[in-house]
Structure formats: structure tokens, C-alpha cells
């Protein structure tokens, strides 16, 4: 297939592009600035500029573009960056998809379980309502920006990611140096639910939603067994052979990070991948212990 990827240089995009290239597919990369290679196509989401050849005739478009949610304190300026990098880029891609003579069969658009807000106890699935807060509103606008493609008759999958577990980047990579020193531990009491997915399974989920025409609309890209923050830290410490008992108080996170702390590190989301399970998808890493053992090369 011809697969166009926006955000191909990020943690997820790199893994996805590598996997699909190994499978014999041709990758077109949307890059900011000038194209650097034969598979690169220039775009500038902030100005609405895109090379239509990047999408015309492609079989699949995967949009993973977006500034890092945890990239800094949520000032009004940074909130604007988070919003524009997602909503503007998705709108631009969706309108380009709609304008194609030879349209892609599917547009896979990234989103997040932040869509549901925070619920300290209850289960969340794709039928759960929109939550409150900045992150929920951002996810909703992000998903709605893909509507031009939907209106043009293209199948659109809105993948709501949990925390992606990968040793080479993302949240886990930032935690590893601290935990390897034995200085890791639960945050804010450790009772918050964490919905997660390994990078291995996330690539497999993308492959599945591309191939399965029954998967359309919202799909939770999370493992079937979410864990509390306390369970997460215990399993990570066990995988590394280090204690994980140094707590991080909620007040310290709020002092350092403000609103971002409450909606990310201290938020609770117990999400279930209902659509994937109904479709018969088999996760390689169903538990966080299995993910750590595989990705960190250690044994329980």
C-alpha cells in the first residue's frame, strides 16, 4: 500500500513507519519545511500549505501530528500550540483528503483517552460521554476536525490513545533513569487509574484498524488491563530490580506543573478497548508486567 504519515518523526510515527516499510509498504512522510528525500512531502499546517501529491492516490493516511502534551506548563500560549498543532493539522489533512480525485480508503486520526476527562472509579469505553476540562475539549475538537473526510465518504478512525509504553521514548523513557536509581515511586497517593498500551500493540492496532472496514469512528487504543499508578510503579520497580517507594506528592506536581498536573499525571482514566475486543483483536501485552518484561528485556 501507499501510506501517508503525518508525525512520522515522533515516537509512534517512527515505529509505525518502520513496521510498515518492513511489510513492503511505501511510506510518504509529511514533513515541515522542505522535503529532504524522495518519500518526503512538504506541509505547513500553521499556514494551510500542503503538497496535495502527498495524499492523492494514497491508500491510507495516518495523522499523528501534534505538539507534546507534557512538553511544558500549560500557559495560554502553550495551550494554543497544543490546539493548533492538532486541530489545524487535522483540518488541513481532512480537507485535502476530501478534495482528492483518488481518495484514500481510510484516514486514521490520533486522539486520546483524555476525551473522557477524569473518572476515579468507573470504566470507560467508546460509548462514554465527553468529559470536562481542557484536554477533553481539545480531543473533541481534534476529532471533529476530521469531519470533512467523513463527509466525503472516507472511513475515518479516531484512535484514542492511552499512555504509550516504549523504552526508547515517551513517558517510560523519562521515568527509567529515576527508577534505575531506586528513586521512583507512586504519585499523588497512587490511586489514579492509568490506561496504557505498549508501542508493539499500538503498531498492531494501527495495522488492524486499517485492514478492518468495520472499525470506524472512535476506537480506544489501550490494553485491556489498566493499572493504578501504585501498581504501575511497583511493576516497573520489580522489572528493574529496584525499590519504587519514594512518593511524589500531588501538591509538588501542582506547584511545578499547574493545570497540566491535574489533567495528565494526576488524572484517572480506566478505559476499556471495547471495540477492539469485540473485533477479536488479541493483545500481545495484556498486562503491564508483560509489557515491561518484553520492552525492558527483564524477567519477573
Amino acid at each position: 500500500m501507499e501510506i501517508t504519515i503525518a508525525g512520522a518523526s515522533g515516537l509512534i510515527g517512527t515505529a509505525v513507519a518502520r513496521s510498515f516499510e518492513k511489510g513492503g509498504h511505501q511510506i510518504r512522510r509529511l514533513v515541515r519545511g522542505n522535503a529532504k528525500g524522495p518519500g518526503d512531502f512538504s506541509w505547513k499546517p500553521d499556514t494551510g500549505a500542503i503538497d496535495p501529491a502527498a495524499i492523492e492516490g494514497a491508500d491510507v493516511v495516518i495523522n499523528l501530528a501534534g505538539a507534546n502534551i507534557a512538553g511544558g506548563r500549560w500557559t495560554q500560549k502553550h495551550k494554543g500550540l497544543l490546539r493548533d498543532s492538532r486541530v489545524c493539522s487535522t483540518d488541513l489533512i481532512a480537507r485535502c483528503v476530501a478534495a482528492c480525485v483518488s481518495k484514500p480508503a481510510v484516514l486514521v486520526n490520533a486522539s486520546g483517552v483524555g476525551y473522557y476527562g477524569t473518572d476515579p472509579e468507573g470504566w470507560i469505553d467508546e460509548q462514554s460521554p465527553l468529559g470536562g476540562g481542557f484536554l477533553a475539549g481539545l480531543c473533541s475538537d481534534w476529532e471533529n476536525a476530521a469531519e470533512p473526510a467523513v463527509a466525503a465518504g472516507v472511513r475515518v478512525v479516531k484512535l484514542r490513545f492511552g499512555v504509550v509504553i516504549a523504552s526508547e521514548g515517551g513517558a517510560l523513557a523519562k521515568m527509567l533513569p529515576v527508577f534505575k536509581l531506586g528513586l521512583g515511586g507512586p504519585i499523588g497517593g497512587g490511586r489514579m487509574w492509568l490506561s496504557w498500551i505498549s508501542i508493539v500493540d499500538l503498531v498492531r492496532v494501527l495495522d488492524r484498524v486499517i485492514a478492518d472496514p468495520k472499525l470506524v469512528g472512535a476506537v480506544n487504543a489501550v490494553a485491556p488491563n489498566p493499572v493504578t499508578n501504585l501498581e504501575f510503579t511497583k511493576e516497573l520497580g520489580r522489572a528493574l530490580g529496584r525499590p519504587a517507594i519514594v512518593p511524589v506528592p500531588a501538591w509538588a506536581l501542582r506547584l511545578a506543573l499547574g493545570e497540566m498536573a491535574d489533567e495528565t499525571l494526576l488524572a484517572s482514566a480506566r478505559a476499556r478497548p471495547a471495540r477492539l475486543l469485540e473485533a477479536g483483536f488479541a493483545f500481545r501485552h495484556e498486562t503491564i508486567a508483560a509489557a515491561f518484561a518484553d520492552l525492558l528485556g527483564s524477567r519477573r
Side-chain angles (χ1 to χ4, degrees):
M1 294 186 295
E2 292 279 345
I3 301 175
T4 300
I5 303 178
S9 62
L11 171 67
I12 300 170
T14 299
V16 169
R18 184 189 306 127
S19 176
F20 284 141
E21 284 177 328
K22 285 182 178 178
H25 304 297
Q26 298 297 314
I27 303 299
R28 306 177 185 181
R29 293 172 171 83
L30 281 170
V31 297
R32 295 173 185 269
N34 296 324
K36 301 177 180 64
D40 292 352
F41 294 84
S42 179
W43 77 322
K44 297 179 181 178
D46 50 340
T47 63
I50 187 170
D51 183 349
I55 294 176
E56 181 67 49
D59 299 291
V60 177
V61 177
I62 302 173
N63 179 24
L64 303 169
N68 186 2
I69 287 289
R73 195 179 182 94
W74 284 357
T75 61
Q76 288 304 118
K77 181 179 180 180
H78 192 64
K79 281 184 176 181
L81 173 63
L82 294 176
R83 179 182 177 81
D84 290 347
S85 66
R86 285 164 172 77
V87 178
C88 294
S89 63
T90 300
D91 176 71
L92 178 58
I93 288 174
R95 287 189 289 106
C96 190
V97 165
C100 285
V101 175
S102 178
K103 294 178 175 57
V106 57
L107 166 61
V108 182
N109 199 64
S111 183
V113 294
Y115 176 94
Y116 306 108
T118 179
D119 186 335
E121 299 295 337
W123 281 96
I124 295 165
D125 63 21
E126 291 88 348
Q127 300 300 316
S128 298
L130 175 66
F134 168 74
L135 194 54
L138 175 61
C139 288
S140 178
D141 292 343
W142 192 5
E143 294 182 5
N144 289 337
E147 284 303 308
V150 176
V154 174
R155 179 167 66 96
V156 174
V157 181
K158 302 168 184 178
L159 270 189
R160 294 172 179 168
F161 295 166
V163 174
V164 179
I165 303 300
S167 58
E168 65 271 23
L172 181 60
K174 294 177 181 178
M175 298 178 193
L176 286 177
V178 176
F179 274 78
K180 285 179 178 178
L181 291 172
L183 300 176
I187 61 175
R191 294 183 297 275
M192 308 81 67
W193 285 100
L194 176 70
S195 296
W196 61 277
I197 187 169
S198 73
I199 189 69
V200 173
D201 275 332
L202 183 51
V203 172
R204 294 176 63 243
V205 166
L206 275 159
D207 191 46
R208 179 58 182 271
V209 299
I210 288 169
D212 191 342
K214 296 189 295 296
L215 289 171
V216 60
V219 175
N220 286 344
V222 294
N225 295 295
V227 291
T228 64
N229 176 262
L230 181 60
E231 292 169 330
F232 180 93
T233 54
K234 282 184 177 179
E235 289 295 344
L236 181 54
R238 185 176 288 116
L240 296 172
R242 296 288 188 273
I245 57 175
V246 181
V248 181
W251 65 263
L253 291 172
R254 291 189 176 106
L255 182 64
L257 302 173
E259 182 183 3
M260 189 189 85
D262 281 309
E263 293 207 28
T264 56
L265 298 173
L266 299 173
S268 185
R270 196 181 186 189
R272 181 174 179 267
R275 298 285 308 283
L276 289 172
L277 294 176
E278 289 166 5
F281 182 82
F283 287 83
R284 187 166 297 169
H285 299 139
E286 292 191 350
T287 67
I288 196 69
F292 286 154
D294 189 6
L295 298 175
L296 299 178
S298 59
R299 295 184 178 181
R300 287 288 301 274

